[in-house]
Amino acid sequence: MSNERMSGAEIVIKSLVDQGVDVIFGYPGGAVLPIYDALFKQNSIRHILVRHEQAAVHSAEGYARSTGKVGVVLVTSGPGATNAVTGLTDALMDSVPVVCLTGQVPTHLIGNDAFQECDTTGITRPCTKHNYLVKDGDKLARTIHEAFYVAASGRPGPVVVDIPKDVQFAEADYEPPHGRGHVSYRPQVDPDGDKVERAVALIAEAKRPIFYIGGGCINSGPRACALVTELIRRTGFPATMTLMGLGTFPASDKQSLGMLGMHGTYEANLAMHHCDVMINIGARFDDRVTGRLDAFAPNSTKIHIDIDPSSINKNVIVDLPVVGDVERVVERILARWTERNIVPDQPALDKWWHRIDQWRAVDCLKFTQSDEAAIKPQYAIKRLYELTKDRDTYISTEVGQHQMWAAQFYHFDKPFHWLTSGGLGTMGYGLPSAVGVQVAHPDSLVIDIAGEASILMNIQELSTIAQYRLPVKVFIINNEYMGMVRQWQELLHGSRYSESYSAGLPDFVKLAESFGATGLRATKPNEVDDVIAQMLAADGPVIVDMVVSKEENCFPMIPGGAAHNEILLGPNGQAEQEASEQGMVLV
Amino acid sequence: MAKPSRRLLNRAWSSFKPLFDPQQPTRGPHDLGPAPVWSKTLSELIERHTIAVLVDNEPGVLARVIGLFSGRGYNIASLTVAPVNEDETVSRINIVTSGTPQIIEQIKAQLDRLVPVRMVRDLTLEGRHIERETALIKVVGEGADRREALRIADIFRARVSDTTIGSFVFALTGSPEKLDSFIELMRALGSVEVARSGVVAIARGGAAL
Ligand SMILES: Cc1cc2nc3c(=O)[nH]c(=O)nc-3n(C[C@H](O)[C@H](O)[C@H](O)COP(=O)(O)OP(=O)(O)OC[C@H]3O[C@@H](n4cnc5c(N)ncnc54)[C@H](O)[C@@H]3O)c2cc1C
Ligand SMILES: Cc1ncc(C[n+]2csc(CCOP(=O)(O)OP(=O)(O)O)c2C)c(N)n1
Ligand SMILES: [Mg+2]
């Protein structure tokens, strides 16, 4: 069969169509004009015009993480490519599959400091899973197909394909996807049988077990999440999730201890600290989770299921690494569990749950909202949860205290509904990511829980929202501070609030109106429900300015470098905390 | 407002430890084979490893490998690269690096994760292997020192590749240690300029990559 001849730009479009792409997020410029021209002439792919290339990548991330598909970005050379760098780094840190097509100056000008030239492959090499510069049109289709394969397989990540303008014009052969894999890149998805056997034995014997569930389960897909849920239920073990793993196992289930780590729950962190068998499924022992390494879960045997061998023994030396895809590994563990008819040590488990229940009784997320005082941020998010939990609600966040309160107070019972920037912690992630989610799920409720500082980092996306009439809701927890920064300054820098006050804020209600959106504001606790109801009743986009108490801190908190059992409970719990600390070390 | 205890916070900060802690790691009650020897100090744990990496011979691949080392703070003692198969589609990168066993394991996993990397082999771990390096050493000197330089070159089986009235260029191939000692001796005999190729290495025996 002879391949079809067409222009490079047409090859780009045809490759995307053959990869099943229906929407791309982009911003035009000189070096991608041929591709924009080809886009103009077709109807299969929808282009969403963002207002900043960083936002294009975050939108693609939101699209990808809420659908399980690859998110696609198209930007021009030079500033288009450099603007995309933060988004690419974000996608790399959080393992989000993204393909980013960048325009480049014509091949013969590369290296000449041509207009809007930058060394895109050089700049993005450390912030992508892989990147390509395509100098030969005959390799264009093959490279784009390979880019999708690399982005989506193994541990997912962002891939850049840099396409010089002459390659976009030149006629070349189109090659359809071949599905033959790759010569040198072959991620291990199936685990060693022996490792599975030993994992099953360890799980069966455990007396104080805990499942430590991470974003790898989300990456592995819906079936993986269902299998992990089944494993947790069949064992009857407690489970805790990382920020990236939230939603894998239902938060409202009794076996869920909530999130662990720096701002995780008391029960999750103490159960991690005192466990005898830790079963890490798709988590990477991030330092926000482990705290002080030499005091991390002492006396525990650690099983680590991960598709990326470089995640293993990186921060924490584990006893039993199982390299493979979560779905395949857990499927096998469950199969062996059934075949061997395993019954866990119930009396030991009962004792363990009894201890966990005592930790739970501390009620570490307790807060008091009095009617007269200012709105507590926790209260606002709790009410938002109560009033939206029965809908198909997607929550994205910016970065800061509001993000942590969202993780603590918005309970996710389903995977793929929680979008947040964990690894890079990118302020400005939430709004564009909500755009991507809303594009993918036009009829769902999409809410960006934002901070007043973060929202200004990509506020220009209100214009994208207006253009496409996306009914995104922006729920600003407005404490007039870069709250997370202020909290650290209060606790660790003698309350010297250096440059962390949000001065010069816009009137968010008027700002909303200027973009044709609805603006709402609540300043008193008794207005919260009403404002949320109005937000939900509005058909179009809404900005809610939730004016909350300014100096609330986010607890529990394990200060950087502390151990899990040195968790701080905050003003309400601290007295008990001091008294029981000795005891906790002893038990 | 009641603040969390200063004492706790101070302790938390002062006890911050670097990522790698050579102290006894915590191990669970289940015996899964011998624990690595962690009782040594950090410097005792540093090992030198020679790693062979087969890569697709494509633009940027060397930059990826080097960027990995600099970006993650790994050490490169020596790095050489050249195409090694008939049609020049595959290159071999020979890397000499050093680190704790945990770091060496990371280096290999990180290398293997690069898309154009076909194979990563730790020659040091896999057993006996040969390491060779070539150096060109120019020695500028006169009189007795010249004769002494020639005599030492003879002992080391270095070849004279260029001669002028006041200088020699010696070519010497051997283990990196042999090159080191030759160069050291030459430095005593005049001003010395050195060009070294970096280490190439291959496993002994009949198994081929
Ligand atoms: C202000 C702030 C505070 C934070 N506080 C906390 C906190 O209190 N608690 C917390 O948990 N996090 C917190 N984070 C997030 C934290 O920085 C990390 O991003 C997060 O802990 C990492 O989650 P993870 O371990 O699940 O790994 P991810 O980053 O989701 O990585 C996934 C892991 O799974 C593996 N994997 C991927 N796909 C598969 C597959 N198919 N099969 C098997 N394995 C796979 C990958 O190789 C990787 O090792 C905070 C972030 C911010 C910005
Ligand atoms: C791009 C970027 N710059 C700086 C930071 C550091 N940082 C983390 S949280 C934060 C403050 C966020 O303030 P706000 O959005 O108001 O959220 P709050 O903590 O008040 O809820 C800052 C500056 C960051 N995470 N990202
Ligand atoms: Mg704020």
Side-chain angles (χ1 to χ4, degrees), chain B residues 135-140 146 149-150 153 158-172 193:
Chain B
L136 297 172
I137 304 119
K138 181 181 286 184
V139 186
V140 184
R146 259 173 87 73
L150 267 186
R159 280 184 298 106
V160 178
S161 300
D162 180 63
T163 319
T164 68
I165 307 258
S167 70
F168 289 119
V169 174
F170 297 112
L172 176 60
E193 178 186 340

Side-chain angles (χ1 to χ4, degrees), chain A residues 401-402 450-454 476-484 500 502 548:
Chain A
Q401 291 179 319
H402 63 277
E452 83 295 334
S454 296
I476 301 175
I477 301 293
N478 185 350
N479 52 9
E480 269 179 49
Y481 273 106
M482 298 172 194
M484 189 56 94
S500 54
S502 289
V548 299

Side-chain angles (χ1 to χ4, degrees), chain A residues 270-285:
Chain A
L270 284 209
M272 283 291 276
H273 191 77
H274 293 286
C275 71
D276 74 333
V277 174
M278 174 191 301
I279 308 128
N280 170 338
I281 310 185
R284 58 182 171 85
F285 292 110

Side-chain angles (χ1 to χ4, degrees), chain A residues 125 130-131 184 202 205 277 293-294 300-301 308 310 313-314 319 490-492 561 566 568 578 581, chain B residues 1 3 5-6 8 11 13 17 19 21 28-30 32 56 63-64 102 105-106 113 115 117-118:
Chain A
R125 200 173 287 128
H130 195 51
N131 62 17
S184 55
L202 285 172
E205 261 181 56
V277 174
L293 277 175
D294 63 353
S300 69
T301 300
D308 180 355
S310 80
N313 292 343
K314 176 157 65 182
D319 302 272
E490 178 185 333
L491 300 179
L492 302 156
E566 295 173 320
L568 306 176
E578 288 282 64
E581 192 213 348
Chain B
M1 189 183 82
K3 302 234 172 91
S5 123
R6 185 76 34 199
L8 253 182
R11 206 171 80 220
W13 286 104
K17 292 254 171 70
L19 270 189
D21 182 13
H30 304 87
L32 291 167
D56 289 335
R64 277 179 219 289
Q102 189 186 0
E105 194 189 333
Q106 263 298 300
R113 196 158 97 101
V115 170
V117 167
R118 296 183 172 215

